[in-house]
Amino acid sequence: MLRIIILTIVLGLVFYFSPQIGLSQYLHSYKWIILAFFFAVSYLNHLLAQMGFANNREHFVQFYLGGIVTRLILSLIFVGVIAYMGTKDIYIFITNFFVLYLCYTGFEIYGLYRNLRHF
């Protein structure tokens, strides 16, 4: 979980300093909401993975895949609600969302691979 917190802090710093770096034109105004959403979903996945390890390690795969499906469904609902609200610059929003989705998913898979390597 510490790695997810560090990733979120680094991304938050990039978002905060984006006007000075010159990236503000590529970031949507809902960037903080997207970041908070991914942190919450990553925390939920972390809790599911802990439950999979705690109860019975044989069921870890089911808990992990359940977390992935939950992330996908919550992401679809989140993007659908934002699109339904009629936000401006929807293409920038979807691009930012997709980049963060890939970043958090890749980071989670890397962490899982690193933890399960010795098995």
Side-chain angles (χ1 to χ4, degrees):
M1 186 64 197
L2 180 64
R3 287 180 242 144
I4 296 294
I5 293 171
I6 291 171
L7 175 67
T8 305
I9 289 171
V10 168
L11 289 172
L13 288 173
V14 170
F15 287 171
Y16 182 75
F17 291 115
S18 64
Q20 288 84 8
I21 300 172
L23 298 176
S24 61
Q25 64 196 12
Y26 301 114
L27 296 175
H28 196 269
S29 60
Y30 290 168
K31 62 185 175 249
W32 297 111
I33 296 170
I34 299 170
L35 190 64
F37 170 78
F38 277 115
F39 180 73
V41 170
S42 294
Y43 182 71
L44 176 68
N45 281 346
H46 178 73
L47 290 178
L48 285 173
Q50 275 187 334
M51 287 175 26
F53 268 132
N55 293 337
N56 190 358
R57 290 185 186 235
E58 293 176 3
H59 298 295
F60 172 73
V61 174
Q62 288 86 359
F63 277 95
Y64 184 72
L65 290 177
I68 289 173
V69 170
T70 302
R71 174 185 296 208
L72 180 64
I73 291 172
L74 288 174
S75 295
L76 289 173
I77 291 171
F78 182 75
V79 170
V81 166
I82 296 295
Y84 181 75
M85 288 179 11
T87 184
K88 62 179 184 169
D89 298 329
I90 192 70
Y91 294 116
I92 294 175
F93 174 80
I94 291 174
T95 303
N96 290 165
F97 187 86
F98 184 67
V99 167
L100 285 178
Y101 185 89
L102 287 177
C103 184
Y104 272 89
T105 303
F107 200 79
E108 182 179 325
I109 290 171
Y110 172 74
L112 179 69
Y113 179 71
R114 188 171 161 212
N115 286 339
L116 297 179
R117 184 179 295 167
H118 61 278
F119 291 115

